[in-house]
Amino acid sequence: MNVIELRQYRMRPGRTGELVELFEREFVEPQEAAGMTVLGQFRDLDDPHRFVWLRGFADMTARGRALPTFYDGPVWAAHRDRARATMADSSDARLLRPLGAVALPRHRPPVGAPPPDRFVAVTLWSFRDALPDAEPQMREKVVPLFGPSALALASLDADNNFPRLPVRTGDGHVAVITRHPGEDDYRAVRASIVLPEGIPEPAVLRLAPTPRSLLR
């Protein structure tokens, strides 16, 4: 899995739960049948009107095949109007690449499962044009501070081969995704981390996994 999308949707007031229910019932398996992996779906604990999710592809060629297969297919045609009606904006998307192996649980809970009592953090740096210089230090000195199970990603410099869905460019991001039994555990881990000199303080997305999220 060499390409990962991080997508953040601005939701219409009161409709995040509606999209979560629709997404998990109708969109997970059909996307995976089209050739992608739905990695995680989350509610934003700081913004009830934001839905965050990730999906992965083997490479950009696979992305270029999988997205038209799904978005031109019968499942999206049947449910797109209802999905779109829940969203105020769906254009905030980043193309990322893993900085190490991507290890995921094999079991996805079924439709109707309860949400897990878990906490996920996306720790996010934006280096913009300085990413090539910052990446070696991030990879060697910063990412290991978050533990062996952290999923580390960096911006992917590639042309968007499915322009119907825009992606952000120029951010020069490094994202470290960590999973915790609860937010207190995350805070303890984060408090123990001393960033090397010259590495700025990151932004953090505080996330609650939805019932069928693999990342949890």
Side-chain angles (χ1 to χ4, degrees):
M1 193 180 305
N2 295 301
V3 178
I4 293 176
E5 292 182 358
L6 171 60
R7 311 188 66 86
Q8 299 183 64
Y9 292 173
R10 169 64 51 190
M11 305 303 297
R12 299 189 186 280
R15 304 196 72 173
T16 303
E18 182 181 348
L19 180 63
V20 168
E21 189 276 332
L22 177 66
F23 189 105
E24 300 211 325
R25 188 184 72 242
E26 302 293 350
F27 295 155
V28 173
E29 282 77 11
Q31 286 188 86
E32 297 197 327
M36 60 196 98
T37 301
V38 179
L39 300 170
Q41 308 88 250
F42 310 95
R43 295 175 182 265
D44 189 319
L45 294 173
D46 293 310
D47 187 346
H49 307 315
R50 182 156 53 186
F51 174 65
V52 179
W53 67 291
L54 299 101
R55 62 183 168 192
F57 309 84
D59 50 35
M60 287 299 291
T61 299
R63 180 179 184 269
R65 291 193 301 261
L67 293 179
T69 298
F70 176 72
Y71 287 104
D72 293 332
V75 172
W76 182 244
H79 301 287
R80 64 189 174 197
D81 290 344
R82 183 180 170 196
R84 288 170 174 166
T86 67
M87 305 173 199
D89 178 55
S90 61
S91 63
D92 188 342
R94 298 169 173 86
L95 284 178
L96 305 169
R97 55 191 162 85
L99 296 180
V102 179
L104 293 171
R106 296 183 179 182
H107 172 69
R108 186 187 302 279
V111 173
D117 187 17
R118 300 280 295 178
F119 178 85
V120 171
V122 180
T123 307
L124 189 67
W125 289 263
S126 182
F127 295 101
R128 300 195 179 276
D129 293 342
L131 177 61
D133 295 327
E135 185 175 324
Q137 187 176 26
M138 293 296 294
R139 185 194 297 264
E140 296 166 13
K141 296 184 178 180
V142 176
V143 171
L145 299 174
F146 287 82
S149 65
L151 172 58
L153 310 167
S155 291
L156 173 65
D157 184 11
D159 291 334
N160 182 9
N161 57 0
F162 191 69
R164 270 190 275 166
L165 295 181
V167 296
R168 293 174 56 151
T169 59
D171 292 312
H173 279 127
V174 172
V176 178
I177 302 173
T178 52
R179 295 160 278 176
H180 308 272
E183 187 170 5
D184 287 345
D185 177 77
Y186 164 75
R187 288 176 175 170
V189 171
R190 185 65 185 88
S192 71
I193 292 174
V194 178
L195 296 174
E197 185 177 353
I199 299 299
E201 285 297 317
V204 178
L205 296 176
R206 300 169 55 253
L207 304 176
T210 62
R212 305 196 69 204
S213 178
L214 284 179
L215 286 171
R216 57 176 58 211

